[in-house]
Amino acid sequence: LGEAVSLGGGEVALSLSVGLALPERLAEPTGEDLLRAATLAAIEARRSGPGAIRSYSEALRSRIESRGHLAEEVALALERGE
């Protein structure tokens, strides 16, 4: 990973970002809860850049939800012409 390889006449470089969810960080987690938590951690890892590893926490969930609410508020304000 990270090194460019020749592919179809061009060069391609791959990178990896990882999001982790540990059951002990969730109260009575279901499989769906773990998947959702891992997805949030993966989103944060991708935002952090290539090679990042992020683990789910309640603080991470709050940050991502805050960003989502802010994006919704901006979209609504634009719709209203503000």
Side-chain angles (χ1 to χ4, degrees), residues 21-67:
L22 303 173
E24 54 270 11
R25 294 201 177 173
L26 300 165
E28 300 182 37
T30 64
E32 187 174 310
D33 294 334
L34 283 169
L35 182 57
R36 186 178 305 113
T39 299
L40 291 175
I43 289 168
E44 188 68 13
R46 283 192 301 270
R47 290 177 68 89
S48 299
I53 299 172
R54 296 293 179 265
S55 182
Y56 174 83
S57 68
E58 284 299 312
L60 177 114
R61 183 192 56 76
S62 294
R63 278 196 311 273
I64 290 175
E65 285 182 355
S66 293
R67 283 187 215 135

Side-chain angles (χ1 to χ4, degrees), residues 5-12:
V5 295
S6 295
L7 182 66
E11 289 196 354
V12 177

Side-chain angles (χ1 to χ4, degrees), residues 66-80 82:
S66 293
R67 283 187 215 135
H69 291 300
L70 179 59
E72 289 173 15
E73 290 175 24
V74 169
L76 289 173
L78 289 172
E79 286 178 15
R80 293 187 301 259
E82 297 175 2

